[in-house]
């Protein structure tokens, strides 16, 4: 299960999406998230699906690798769909299981929420999979720069968010190593009910926290040894510039948003 988590990982490449300005990718990702919530018809998700598949093909990231990241949220997905199916009133009664009733409105809302969650994870994962940690930091910092006037430490916030995001796969790998080491010593993480499994995971927390603090200390020492002093008077090797491909990406995303808005309000 831990190997299926793709959040925070980066796959190097030289594709159209990899070369996009990180600021543009961040803004377009936010617009994409917002566009998912303006859809009220299933036909809208067809356009989202085409947009997602096109982006994956252009980025040349394996489709199986993208959808592998959905496995960790499978429980949340099933829970979301189940709650909406059984607890949404209204519409035609399709089936009844004791006090639980399945209605047409419940099925429709469950499908909507399930598709929305899937597209949300798949779409936003393209941001981290196609953007290097340094580029992501520079992009976030550049977008937060206007808030410096009110005293917000833009560079420090961007650095913290990027480090936290990139530490996710590192900590997951460390957790996997600790679990294998304890299983080799006779620990059991798979048998028993849900509560027992949760209690069996408690011994993982101490070595995991120790490892996390050790890695954080090593990172702090490495940054200090390289004379890191935050964002004050700090220069960049590569300056961010919006190019033609960025305008093309903005145009394509704008067309998608216009189509979704038209699809929402068109009376059919």
């Amino acid at each position: 299960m831990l190997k299926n988590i793709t959040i925070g990982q980066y796959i190097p490449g030289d594709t159209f999406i990899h070369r996009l300005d990180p600021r543009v990718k961040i803004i377009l990702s936010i617009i994409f998230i917002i566009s998912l919530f303006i859809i009220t018809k299933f036909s809208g998700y067809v356009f989202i699906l085409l947009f997602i598949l096109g982006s994956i093909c252009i980025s040349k990231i394996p489709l199986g690798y993208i959808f592998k990241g959905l496995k960790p949220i499978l429980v949340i997905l099933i829970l979301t769909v189940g709650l909406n199916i059984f607890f949404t009133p209204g519409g035609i009664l399709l089936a009844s299981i004791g006090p639980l009733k399945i209605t047409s409105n419940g099925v429709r809302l469950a499908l909507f929420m399930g598709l929305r969650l899937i597209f949300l994870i798949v779409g936003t994962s393209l941001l981290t999979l196609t953007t290097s940690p340094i580029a992501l930091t520079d992009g976030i910092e550049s977008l937060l720069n206007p808030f410096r006037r009110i005293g917000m430490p833009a560079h420090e916030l961007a650095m913290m968010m990027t480090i936290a995001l990139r530490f996710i796969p590192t900590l997951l790998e460390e957790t996997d190593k600790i679990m294998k080491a304890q299983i080799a010593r006779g620990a059991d993480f798979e048998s028993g009910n849900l509560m027992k499994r949760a209690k069996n995971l408690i011994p993982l927390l101490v070595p995991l926290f120790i490892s996390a603090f050790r890695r954080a200390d090593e990172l702090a020492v490495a940054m200090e040894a390289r004379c890191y002093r935050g964002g004050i008077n700090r220069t960049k090797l590569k300056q961010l510039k919006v190019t033609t491909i960025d305008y093309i990406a903005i145009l394509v995303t704008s067309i998608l948003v216009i189509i979704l808005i038209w699809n929402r309000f068109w009376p059919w």
Side-chain angles (χ1 to χ4, degrees):
M1 180 65 73
L2 295 178
K3 294 181 180 179
N4 293 326
I5 298 178
T6 58
I7 298 175
Q9 299 185 18
Y10 167 64
I11 299 179
D14 191 33
T15 64
F16 177 90
I17 296 181
H18 282 82
R19 295 196 304 270
L20 288 175
D21 189 292
R23 297 170 297 180
V24 174
K25 282 195 276 190
I26 293 171
I27 293 174
L28 294 184
S29 296
I30 296 173
I31 294 174
F32 174 79
I33 294 173
I34 296 174
S35 67
L36 289 175
F37 291 90
I38 67 175
I39 297 175
T40 57
K41 303 172 184 175
F42 284 107
S43 54
Y45 285 118
V46 175
F47 299 110
I48 290 290
L49 178 62
L50 294 175
F51 180 80
I52 289 290
L53 292 178
S55 301
I56 293 174
C57 291
I58 294 173
S59 64
K60 295 182 180 179
I61 295 177
L63 191 62
Y65 188 85
I66 290 286
F67 288 100
K68 185 177 70 172
L70 292 174
K71 292 183 180 179
I73 67 162
L74 189 59
V75 175
I76 299 176
L77 184 61
I78 294 174
L79 184 62
T80 302
V81 172
L83 289 175
N84 283 282
I85 285 180
F86 293 112
F87 295 100
T88 302
I92 303 172
L93 181 63
L94 302 177
S96 179
I97 307 174
L100 302 177
K101 296 181 180 180
I102 302 177
T103 63
S104 57
N105 285 354
V107 173
R108 183 177 183 276
L109 185 59
L111 291 175
F112 259 84
M113 296 301 294
L115 290 173
R116 184 175 292 170
L117 185 59
I118 290 173
F119 287 133
L120 181 66
I121 298 298
V122 174
T124 53
S125 64
L126 284 173
L127 174 64
T128 56
L129 290 173
T130 60
T131 312
S132 67
I134 295 176
L136 194 61
T137 303
D138 292 342
I140 296 174
E141 179 185 358
S142 179
L143 293 175
L144 293 178
N145 270 338
F147 296 98
R148 282 185 173 179
R149 298 178 180 178
I150 59 175
M152 177 181 290
H155 177 79
E156 287 74 9
L157 284 176
M159 179 65 69
M160 285 190 295
M161 286 189 288
T162 306
I163 290 176
L165 185 64
R166 294 306 177 185
F167 253 69
I168 292 175
T170 303
L171 292 178
L172 291 175
E173 181 182 355
E174 193 72 25
T175 303
D176 188 55
K177 289 180 180 179
I178 296 172
M179 288 183 67
K180 289 179 178 178
Q182 294 197 6
I183 289 174
R185 292 171 173 82
D188 185 10
F189 298 107
E190 297 181 356
S191 63
N193 55 29
L194 185 61
M195 291 300 298
K196 186 176 181 181
R197 291 184 183 182
K199 289 181 180 179
N200 291 339
L201 291 175
I202 294 178
L204 291 175
L205 297 179
V206 175
L208 183 61
F209 271 103
I210 293 175
S211 174
F213 285 131
R214 186 184 70 250
R215 288 183 179 273
D217 183 64
E218 291 173 354
L219 178 62
V221 172
M223 293 173 70
E224 187 174 345
R226 289 165 176 78
C227 300
Y228 174 78
R229 292 294 181 271
I232 301 176
N233 298 324
R234 185 176 178 84
T235 60
K236 295 180 176 61
L237 177 63
K238 295 182 179 180
Q239 298 295 327
L240 299 179
K241 294 181 180 179
V242 179
T243 59
T244 304
I245 60 173
D246 298 306
Y247 289 114
I248 294 174
I250 293 172
L251 177 62
V252 172
T253 307
S254 301
I255 293 174
L256 173 67
V257 173
I258 292 172
I259 291 174
L260 294 177
I261 294 175
W262 170 79
N263 178 263
R264 176 187 175 96
F265 294 105
W266 186 259
W268 59 352

